[in-house]
Amino acid sequence: MQAADRRAAIVREAVKLFAERGFRGTTTRDLAAACGVSEPVLYEHFATKRDLYTAIIETKGQEGFARFQALVGPYLDMNDDRRFFEKLARFVLEFYEDHPEHGRLLMFSALEGHETAEITYSRHREAIHGLVVRYIERRIREGAFRPIDPALAARAFVGMLAHYGWTSAVFRCGIPGLSRKRLVAGMVGIFLEGVRTPDESGNPAATRNGERRPPASKKKR
């Protein structure tokens, strides 16, 4: 096996162990056994267990940001509010439900006080949060959203999805029979009803693509 392939295989197996046992609960002997190599071979690729753990956290952070850019990035400069927040909601849910090992790694890193992991997580989290805040700020300037706190609105939206994703992944307490598509549509709808600028009739004045809905016609008596 080539050195690069061996290194990648070590990382894959290490992710499983660290996500299951944490940094402190995983020994180099455990890692070597899981990877089917001796400890000296393990040290050829990573000088210490901490180096391996740090590499994994950094890699997972980069992968998460790349997924965000691929899924949400194309809509950052558009005015399709529903599509933007639907993509963002999908990204958050996939993080917890489809990549549970990443969430567990971050949880362990926080509980165990791994300084590099905290820095890496904060950097990627703040980068994504900043992009969402700027989208909301732009839509406020354009009159599509009410004059709200953009940072608070961003955390409110991500927070409700993160809570659902985390409790579903950890406690398996999702809503029975509710598909991810319906969940996303429902939560995005609730959020947009609260942030959009109302029209003259008091209804949220933006359509699916962000354009203003014509005022409601008054019925003649």
Side-chain angles (χ1 to χ4, degrees), residues 104-136:
R104 290 179 63 88
L105 280 169
L106 292 176
M107 182 62 72
F108 269 122
S109 71
L111 293 174
E112 296 177 332
H114 193 280
E115 67 284 353
T116 307
E118 182 178 350
I119 293 171
T120 300
Y121 170 68
S122 296
R123 184 169 69 247
H124 292 294
R125 180 199 62 197
E126 292 306 321
I128 292 173
H129 177 70
L131 290 172
V132 177
V133 169
R134 284 195 287 277
Y135 179 91
I136 296 174

Side-chain angles (χ1 to χ4, degrees), residues 123-189:
R123 184 169 69 247
H124 292 294
R125 180 199 62 197
E126 292 306 321
I128 292 173
H129 177 70
L131 290 172
V132 177
V133 169
R134 284 195 287 277
Y135 179 91
I136 296 174
E137 287 175 337
R138 177 173 63 82
R139 296 299 282 149
I140 292 173
R141 290 195 304 271
E142 294 169 347
F145 290 175
R146 297 187 294 108
I148 54 178
D149 183 329
L152 184 59
R155 288 195 179 275
F157 180 76
V158 173
M160 67 177 176
L161 271 301
H163 175 268
Y164 186 92
W166 182 252
T167 55
S168 296
V170 176
F171 301 108
R172 302 291 190 272
C173 60
I175 302 175
L178 182 64
S179 67
R180 181 179 293 176
K181 183 177 181 180
R182 286 181 57 206
L183 171 67
V184 167
M187 287 195 171
V188 170

Side-chain angles (χ1 to χ4, degrees), residues 18 44 48 52 57-58 62 82 85 95 98-99 109 116 120 138 158 165 174 179 201-202 205 209 214-215:
F18 284 136
E44 289 177 6
T48 67
L52 173 56
I57 294 296
E58 178 63 31
Q62 291 173 352
R82 180 166 292 278
F85 284 102
F95 174 85
D98 298 349
H99 305 277
S109 71
T116 307
T120 300
R138 177 173 63 82
V158 173
S179 67
S201 66
N209 63 1

Side-chain angles (χ1 to χ4, degrees), residues 1-219:
M1 182 181 291
Q2 297 293 325
D5 295 333
R6 174 72 69 187
R7 182 184 176 90
I10 290 173
V11 169
R12 283 196 301 271
E13 293 303 322
V15 166
K16 299 175 185 177
L17 284 179
F18 284 136
E20 180 182 344
R21 306 177 188 178
F23 177 78
R24 296 174 184 171
T26 303
T27 66
T28 53
R29 180 179 296 179
D30 296 332
L31 291 167
C35 298
V37 300
S38 64
E39 288 185 76
V41 171
L42 187 67
Y43 290 134
E44 289 177 6
H45 297 277
F46 299 96
T48 67
K49 184 177 71 169
R50 183 170 294 276
D51 288 343
L52 173 56
Y53 192 72
T54 300
I56 288 173
I57 294 296
E58 178 63 31
T59 298
K60 287 297 180 181
Q62 291 173 352
E63 290 175 355
F65 189 70
R67 285 197 299 272
F68 173 86
Q69 290 285 36
L71 192 62
V72 186
Y75 300 92
L76 284 168
D77 296 322
M78 297 183 183
N79 292 337
D80 192 339
D81 301 321
R82 180 166 292 278
R83 183 62 61 86
F84 173 81
F85 284 102
E86 283 180 347
K87 294 295 183 180
L88 179 58
R90 178 181 159 189
F91 166 77
V92 175
L93 290 175
E94 286 179 354
F95 174 85
Y96 289 101
E97 298 179 351
D98 298 349
H99 305 277
E101 72 285 351
H102 192 176
R104 290 179 63 88
L105 280 169
L106 292 176
M107 182 62 72
F108 269 122
S109 71
L111 293 174
E112 296 177 332
H114 193 280
E115 67 284 353
T116 307
E118 182 178 350
I119 293 171
T120 300
Y121 170 68
S122 296
R123 184 169 69 247
H124 292 294
R125 180 199 62 197
E126 292 306 321
I128 292 173
H129 177 70
L131 290 172
V132 177
V133 169
R134 284 195 287 277
Y135 179 91
I136 296 174
E137 287 175 337
R138 177 173 63 82
R139 296 299 282 149
I140 292 173
R141 290 195 304 271
E142 294 169 347
F145 290 175
R146 297 187 294 108
I148 54 178
D149 183 329
L152 184 59
R155 288 195 179 275
F157 180 76
V158 173
M160 67 177 176
L161 271 301
H163 175 268
Y164 186 92
W166 182 252
T167 55
S168 296
V170 176
F171 301 108
R172 302 291 190 272
C173 60
I175 302 175
L178 182 64
S179 67
R180 181 179 293 176
K181 183 177 181 180
R182 286 181 57 206
L183 171 67
V184 167
M187 287 195 171
V188 170
I190 291 171
F191 178 78
L192 289 179
E193 287 291 317
V195 300
R196 280 175 170 163
T197 302
D199 60 19
E200 294 177 359
S201 66
N203 296 316
T207 62
R208 180 178 177 278
N209 63 1
E211 296 177 354
R212 284 190 172 276
R213 176 187 296 133
S217 58
K218 297 181 180 180
K219 293 182 179 181

